[in-house]
Amino acid sequence: MICRNCGSQNAPNMRFCMNCGFPLSARQQQDADSVSAQSDGPNANVRYVSASRPGAFSSLQAAIDDIKASTSSEPSGTGDTSDSELPRVIFDPGTYDVSEVHIYIPVILESAPGSKISDVVLVGGDDTDRLVLFNNDADDPIATIRGMTLSLCVLGSATIEDCDITNRLVATQGEMDVADSRIQTARLYNGGILALQSCIVVNGIKVDEPGEDEKPTVLCVFKGSMIHGSSKTWSIQAKGGMVVVKDSTVDAGTYAEDVMFVAMRSTFKDGDNGYGGVPVIIDHKEFSPSFFCHLPNQADANVVSLKFDDGDTMDFSGPYEDNPTAEAEKKQQSTQELMGQLDALIGLARVKEDVRKQMNMIEFQQRRQAQGLPINTVSHNMIFAGNPGTGKTTVARIYGHLLYSLGVVPKDIFVEADRAKLVAAYLGQTAIKTKEVIEQARGGVLFIDEAYALASPKGSRPDEYGTEAIDTLLKAMEDYRDDMVFILAGYTDAMGDFLDANAGIKSRIPTWLTFDDYSADELFSIIERYAHRDGYTLAPEIADPLKHYFAIAAQEEHFGNARSARNLYEKAIVNKASREMSAADGTGDFTTLDLVDFPLNL
């Protein structure tokens, strides 16, 4: 089979091209033959868009306008017209600007016979430009797009086959059916229905939580589709609605909250953003703990039944009662548990006190609001300053979950980033890369470690790339100040210089938390906690030498606090294993760590 994307020859049973990875379909050749047959000779139903063909239209909008003018009344878009009777717009090879083209009539858009998918490219002027296709609440998608590259945002309701969507696919207020295509990323909201068959999604699918007056969404992934993500992007991230995965692969973690989530004969692989929990899974091949699922609170959801074309069925029974009181109690319990986790951390007395002050301020304002009193609008953005290994990332994660449990942010999302995640290789690309990270953290917390690396050191040349990232962050801090929190972390002196050089950052992050170095006693307690966790005991004579070691080591320039304590402990385990396994009879002590196991070389 010849790949329409790159032209490579593939074996008949291949699902994806061995050269470019693009989905393959027998329909590709069938569609090309069909188009060729229908476009031979004059045809009132066919319009060409071309830069060189005589009599062709120069733009898609002009061809659509001509179709409208030639019909006495607009078709209803209810699906009563067969494909052979629908007007067709055929694109000769080339790149066509379709910025903000709106299509409200049934039509087929396709590339000229014999064209590769990359030969015909529809583009928008910038990231906001889009091809809009709506079906006005008809039963079926109104337009069909085949065999081309869509380098723009596709919005609305359509059937898409054998296409490469290099920007975004957005399903809302209608149905989007996509087959044998590659999609960069997809989003569903407000009643959007997205059905993927034999597709590849490169950078995840996001399903938005329905608003107060919005309809729920439905995502269906079928027939060998592959949904990819990244280390910071879920393959599928859904809140509300329904998600169905059948005979497909999801390879970078799935987050589904308040979702009817069902799967059949599908493979789910672990991602970096792993969540525990038990979703609704039927006949799964693999199941990893990267799932997190809540059934929807719908008092009238007694039975949900799905029936597929191949005869498979799924039935799910309820009801699932809505209990706001129980949810509030659950969040309160979560807050208490999180504060318990913070208090259980060794050391960090000043940080714990500062976090508790923040929590008290939040609850104080919430109680004033409940009594109808005016409240103070305060920023919850923070600077975490301290040396390496002082617990900044650990506390940030707990703090992020606390903000969610107290309702400060709407989503329990915590995204970690650094300069490498925000800055691109070329000017102009950094803003896009930074926006992608911000979008991943929308509604939650974005934690930027070593944030000072975005700015130029004193006396050096300006860092245009870092400045671009900072400017993008500043705008996001202003735009999303009511539903997103930013935490910037780094060494104390470096963060001070960073704020002094960036007044915009300083004015938007009013709270500074200082993470003190651990004392020798605290570092020894960290070793004890590691040993207890792993089933070891420390020999009694080990305490004083270890504390003395930490008191001296802490004065070194690159001492890593808890990180150095962990490294020392792990070396002790290795030494213990070598020492015991080299014994003649192999029956030594496998639980006690002795002083000789710790490499206390200063």
Side-chain angles (χ1 to χ4, degrees), residues 220-225 244-249 262-266 268 308-310 312-314:
C220 298
V221 181
F222 298 147
K223 294 186 179 179
S225 293
V244 180
V245 182
K246 182 171 177 284
D247 299 313
S248 297
T249 299
V262 295
M264 178 180 284
R265 295 189 302 275
S266 294
F268 298 91
F308 302 101
D309 292 340
D310 57 11
D312 280 336
T313 60
M314 298 180 182

Side-chain angles (χ1 to χ4, degrees), residues 8-9 72 85 91 102 119 129 148 162 189 217 237 261 269 298 332 370 585 602:
S8 299
Q9 180 70 47
S72 57
E85 299 172 332
F91 292 84
H102 294 67
D119 288 345
D129 288 332
M148 61 186 70
D162 307 320
Y189 68 94
T217 57
Q237 179 179 343
F261 195 106
K269 298 181 180 179
Q298 300 180 82
Q332 179 61 32
D585 57 1
L602 295 172

Side-chain angles (χ1 to χ4, degrees), residues 567-590:
N567 292 340
L568 180 65
Y569 167 75
E570 290 174 350
K571 290 178 182 177
I573 298 297
V574 173
N575 293 339
K576 172 71 173 179
S578 298
R579 193 163 57 85
E580 296 297 342
M581 296 312 294
S582 63
D585 57 1
T587 58
D589 180 1
F590 291 90

Side-chain angles (χ1 to χ4, degrees), residues 152-291:
L152 41 69
C153 173
V154 184
L155 174 71
S157 181
T159 295
I160 299 175
E161 300 170 353
D162 307 320
C163 286
D164 189 3
I165 304 170
T166 61
N167 193 313
R168 289 173 294 154
L169 183 71
V170 181
T172 177
Q173 300 179 11
E175 181 176 346
M176 189 80 75
D177 294 331
V178 188
D180 306 305
S181 297
R182 178 168 56 195
I183 305 162
Q184 179 64 27
T185 186
R187 178 189 173 198
L188 292 80
Y189 68 94
N190 191 14
I193 300 172
L194 176 60
L196 304 178
Q197 300 185 50
S198 303
C199 290
I200 290 179
V201 179
V202 178
N203 202 26
I205 303 172
K206 185 176 181 182
V207 183
D208 289 2
E209 184 176 15
E212 184 176 349
D213 299 321
E214 293 183 344
K215 300 176 182 179
T217 57
V218 179
L219 169 65
C220 298
V221 181
F222 298 147
K223 294 186 179 179
S225 293
M226 299 183 67
I227 314 299
H228 300 296
S230 69
S231 61
K232 298 298 181 183
T233 306
W234 298 100
S235 288
I236 299 176
Q237 179 179 343
K239 293 195 72 172
M242 187 170 196
V243 176
V244 180
V245 182
K246 182 171 177 284
D247 299 313
S248 297
T249 299
V250 181
D251 76 351
T254 297
Y255 179 95
E257 182 176 351
D258 293 326
V259 170
M260 176 60 78
F261 195 106
V262 295
M264 178 180 284
R265 295 189 302 275
S266 294
T267 299
F268 298 91
K269 298 181 180 179
D270 220 354
D272 289 346
N273 295 359
Y275 280 77
V278 182
V280 182
I281 299 291
I282 296 179
D283 297 333
H284 61 276
K285 292 181 179 178
E286 285 185 33
F287 170 66
S288 76
S290 58
F291 270 94

